[in-house]
């Protein structure tokens, strides 16, 4: 193993720990973590985690986690337990305990603020495995990969943003190995739950997206991501076409592609358009990453389809997969690529034949994620090409083309857009990307045959910032009145019951832009 050949006594320790873990019903996670630790080159005897320096203490997650741990610490003040908060990369942000002897011992193994205890740095440990698999984890004594950690027991639970499902970090409890760990896992899960609840309560008004549900569905020609799916790439911006061309080239070369960008930017749409360009009659399955506890059943839904002729799986939000599931996906992909045969591409001109570039079958899978570095290491190993997908705000000219397609889908016929509405759509920053555009146009298309600014949501005509309920009401009323065609600022101020000077100040304050 990393650090030298494993001795007989160390093999015996591993065998004993593995046997004991199997009796608890969770052998595979621990053994997989040991294997990853060995592959990372983590020393078996003693680890030296990386020191990252000062930590950020002004995030919503940090403040919520610190409050949750402070409350728990008061109940454990006389217990030999250290409570910690870490970021998603395993960096220890804060640590507390009433047992100074324990703190000094933790300093000796660098389990302290500013040090990273991710699995890649410290091998198998409670917080590292909880972050890797995104599941509550208890690692006892010799279950740790490094011998220098065998004197401790660690319980950790990941904290997921309740609005988005994103991994925020973890809560960790560490005690001596000979301390009974009876309630540690329950306590750490409660602290993680409290942290998530505080994040939700204090983050009201922030943009959100649905929690992962692990859906698996077929993408037909009219079942791409809402908005851009049915718009031909040639009608979209240069930046979109550049990304599309990169994805098409990668597909033709049989490469596994990762489409990287913000949620809602059109990552799945881009991959599907590229796949359709190469295999017009192929089958595309979109498998959305599930909640970690549902990953096993989710894998069984789509994995039998991987490697079938004419079938490609687009694994969405692959950066949300737990490490063990990512490893299974990697193994499935490698097996499918080994057994792949040349596939008829079914050219758009009606001709048939294998891929013109190298005659190989296309890659059986593609991924979407927000950042490539957030993909589990196992998936990064199989990705051949990374294609950045620009957000909608960086290609404002696409907003109108996509809006027209959305309206057509909603009404079943073409719906017009006034010049003022077109300018408003192009000027808006679209922090919610196509999801926000779909909601705005769906609402507007049900209200008029020709969409004008008065039919668009107030948020499209104003800067996106957090407002109080009173401010939101005031802003929406101002937009409702001044967006009407032909109304003057004098008439609007009279209707709103405020002076023109106040109205101008409010328009500037809310950054309301109503194209004329």
């Amino acid at each position: 193993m990393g650090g030298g050949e494993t001795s007989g006594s160390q093999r015996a320790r591993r065998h004993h720990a593995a046997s004991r873990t199997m009796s608890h019903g969770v052998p595979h996670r621990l053994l997989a973590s040991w294997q990853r630790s060995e592959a990372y080159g983590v020393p078996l005897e003693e680890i030296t985690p990386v020191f990252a320096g000062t930590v950020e203490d002004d995030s919503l997650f940090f403040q919520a986690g610190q409050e949750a741990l402070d409350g728990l610490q008061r109940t454990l003040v006389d217990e030999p337990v250290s409570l910690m908060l870490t970021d998603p990369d395993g960096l220890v942000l804060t640590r507390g305990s009433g047992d100074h002897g324990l703190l000094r011992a933790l300093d000796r193994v660098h389990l302290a603020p500013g040090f990273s205890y991710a699995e890649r740095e410290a091998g198998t440990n409670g917080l590292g495995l909880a972050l890797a698999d995104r599941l509550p984890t208890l690692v006892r004594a010799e279950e740790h990969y490094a011998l220098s950690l065998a004197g401790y027991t660690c319980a950790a639970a990941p904290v997921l943003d309740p609005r988005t499902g994103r991994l925020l970090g973890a809560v960790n409890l560490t005690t001596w190995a000979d301390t009974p760990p009876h309630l540690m896992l329950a306590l750490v899960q409660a602290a993680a739950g409290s942290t998530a609840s505080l994040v939700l309560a204090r983050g009201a008004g922030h943009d959100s997206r649905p929690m992962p549900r692990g859906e698996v569905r077929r993408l037909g020609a009219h079942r791409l991501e809402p908005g851009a799916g049915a718009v031909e790439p040639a009608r979209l911006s240069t930046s979109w076409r550049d990304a599309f061309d990169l994805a098409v080239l990668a597909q033709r070369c049989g490469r596994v592609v990762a489409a990287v960008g913000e949620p809602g930017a059109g990552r799945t749409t881009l991959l599907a358009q590229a796949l359709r360009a190469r295999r017009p009659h192929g089958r595309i399955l979109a498998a959305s990453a599930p909640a970690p506890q549902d990953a096993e059943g989710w894998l069984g839904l789509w994995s039998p389809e991987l490697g079938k002729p004419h079938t490609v799986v687009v694994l969405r939000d692959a950066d949300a997969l737990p490490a063990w599931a990512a490893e299974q996906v990697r193994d499935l992909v490698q097996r499918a690529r080994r057994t792949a045969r040349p596939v008829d591409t079914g050219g758009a001109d009606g001709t048939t034949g294998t891929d013109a570039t190298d005659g190989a079958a296309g890659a059986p899978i593609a991924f979407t994620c927000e950042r490539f570095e957030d993909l589990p290491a196992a998936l990064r190993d199989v990705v051949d090409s990374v294609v950045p997908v620009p957000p909608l705000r960086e290609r404002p000219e696409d907003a109108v083309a996509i809006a027209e397609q959305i309206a057509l889908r909603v009404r079943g016929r073409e719906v017009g857009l006034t010049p003022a509405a077109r300018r408003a759509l192009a000027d808006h920053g679209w922090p919610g990307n196509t999801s926000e555009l779909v909601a705005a146009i769906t609402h507007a298309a049900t209200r008029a045959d020709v969409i004008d600014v008065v039919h668009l949501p107030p948020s499209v005509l104003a800067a996106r910032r957090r407002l109080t309920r009173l401010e939101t009401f005031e802003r929406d009323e101002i937009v409702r009145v001044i967006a009407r065609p032909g109304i003057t600022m004098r008439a609007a101020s009279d209707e709103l019951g405020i002076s023109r000077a106040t109205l101008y100040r409010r328009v500037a304050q809310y950054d309301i832009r109503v194209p004329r």
Side-chain angles (χ1 to χ4, degrees):
M1 293 196 177
E5 184 179 358
T6 307
S7 70
S9 62
Q10 290 163 349
R11 289 195 192 96
R13 178 174 75 83
R14 287 280 179 250
H15 177 75
H16 172 71
S19 299
R20 182 178 59 192
T21 306
M22 286 183 185
S23 68
H24 294 164
V26 287
H28 300 300
R29 289 184 61 211
L30 187 66
L31 294 174
S33 180
W34 284 347
Q35 291 167 354
R36 290 194 298 269
S37 301
E38 181 180 8
Y40 295 149
V42 177
L44 185 62
E45 293 292 338
E46 185 175 0
I47 57 169
T48 306
V50 173
F51 180 67
T54 57
V55 300
E56 298 292 334
D57 59 1
D58 57 353
S59 70
L60 177 60
F61 165 68
F62 181 93
Q63 294 165 6
Q66 188 63 65
E67 182 173 333
L69 290 186
D70 285 346
L72 183 56
Q73 182 70 65
R74 287 191 289 271
T75 68
L76 299 174
V77 67
D78 296 323
E79 299 295 329
V81 176
S82 178
L83 288 73
M84 305 172 204
L85 193 69
T86 81
D87 75 359
D89 298 318
L91 179 69
V92 180
L93 303 176
T94 181
R95 184 189 72 179
S97 176
D99 188 323
H100 297 290
L102 177 60
L103 291 177
R104 287 192 295 270
L106 294 177
D107 284 339
R108 289 194 289 271
V109 294
H110 309 291
L111 186 47
F115 287 91
S116 173
Y117 248 72
E119 197 179 59
R120 182 179 291 272
E121 304 292 342
T124 304
N125 68 90
L127 71 88
L129 184 51
L131 289 170
D133 280 356
R134 303 191 180 208
L135 291 171
T137 299
L138 180 69
V139 176
R140 305 177 183 180
E142 292 186 341
E143 292 174 348
H144 288 88
Y145 181 80
L147 293 170
S148 59
L149 300 180
Y152 306 96
T153 290
C154 301
V159 179
L160 304 180
D161 190 324
R163 303 160 301 168
T164 67
R166 292 280 308 276
L167 180 65
L168 298 176
V171 175
N172 179 67
L173 272 65
T174 297
T175 187
W176 302 110
D178 56 3
T179 301
H182 301 311
L183 295 177
M184 285 184 63
L185 201 55
L187 288 173
V188 79
Q189 288 181 266
S194 297
T195 301
S197 296
L198 288 169
V199 167
L200 179 63
R202 296 176 183 177
H206 289 194
D207 294 325
S208 63
R209 60 189 173 98
M211 290 283 283
R213 292 186 295 173
E215 294 179 332
V216 178
R217 60 191 179 96
R218 181 172 180 176
L219 294 181
H222 301 289
R223 292 198 64 185
L224 304 184
E225 284 184 77
V231 182
E232 291 295 326
R235 291 184 54 203
L236 297 173
S237 61
T238 300
S239 58
W240 180 271
R241 293 198 303 272
D242 288 346
F244 169 77
D245 290 341
L246 284 174
V248 169
L249 176 61
Q251 288 293 329
R252 285 177 177 166
C253 295
R255 300 172 187 160
V256 173
V257 179
V260 176
E262 297 176 7
R267 301 167 301 185
T268 303
T269 292
L270 184 84
L271 292 174
Q273 287 182 338
L275 290 164
R276 288 271 175 246
R278 183 173 181 271
R279 299 184 192 174
H281 307 296
R283 186 171 66 139
I284 304 172
L285 297 180
S288 301
Q293 64 271 19
D294 299 328
E296 186 171 357
W298 168 82
L299 281 167
L301 288 176
W302 61 267
S303 58
E305 305 301 312
L306 194 66
K308 287 186 177 180
H310 307 289
T311 298
V312 178
V313 176
V314 176
L315 206 166
R316 304 178 61 184
D317 298 318
D319 46 344
L321 281 180
W324 69 266
E327 289 168 356
Q328 289 197 26
V329 172
R330 176 201 59 201
D331 296 343
L332 288 166
V333 172
Q334 292 175 340
R335 188 180 308 121
R337 298 186 82 171
R338 284 195 301 268
T339 59
R341 294 173 297 175
V343 174
D344 185 346
T345 59
D349 59 358
T351 62
T352 61
T354 56
D355 187 278
T357 303
D358 60 6
I365 199 166
F367 303 106
T368 75
C369 59
E370 192 161 352
R371 301 188 310 165
F372 179 73
E373 56 266 36
D374 291 337
L375 276 178
L379 298 185
R380 293 200 298 270
D381 291 344
V382 299
V383 171
D384 303 308
S385 297
V386 177
V387 177
V389 181
L392 191 55
R393 66 177 173 276
E394 294 180 8
R395 42 191 178 92
E397 60 269 43
D398 290 348
V400 173
I402 297 173
E404 290 174 336
Q405 189 60 47
I406 297 167
L408 174 63
R409 193 177 298 182
V410 170
R411 292 289 295 272
R413 60 180 178 81
E414 290 188 0
V415 175
L417 293 165
T418 67
R422 290 171 178 267
R423 288 194 295 273
L425 294 175
D427 288 344
H428 186 50
W430 300 110
N433 281 303
T434 55
S435 298
E436 182 186 0
L437 179 59
V438 167
I441 299 303
T442 299
H443 173 75
T446 59
R447 300 174 62 197
D449 294 329
V450 177
I451 297 174
D452 196 6
V453 290
V454 71
H455 305 120
L456 297 174
S459 59
V460 174
L461 306 175
R464 192 62 176 258
R465 72 175 184 88
R466 293 184 64 189
L467 302 176
T468 66
R469 288 186 178 182
L470 184 59
E471 287 176 324
T472 301
F473 175 78
E474 183 178 51
R475 181 204 63 186
D476 291 358
E477 280 297 291
I478 292 172
V479 169
R480 180 186 65 80
V481 173
I482 68 176
R484 292 207 302 268
I487 194 167
T488 65
M489 293 298 277
R490 179 188 293 277
S493 63
D494 289 343
E495 182 172 341
L496 291 165
I498 57 178
S499 68
R500 273 191 295 169
T502 299
L503 177 57
Y504 279 115
R505 282 198 301 272
R506 293 291 187 268
V507 168
Q509 173 186 340
Y510 299 131
D511 195 17
I512 297 172
R513 303 177 301 277
V514 182
R516 299 295 185 184

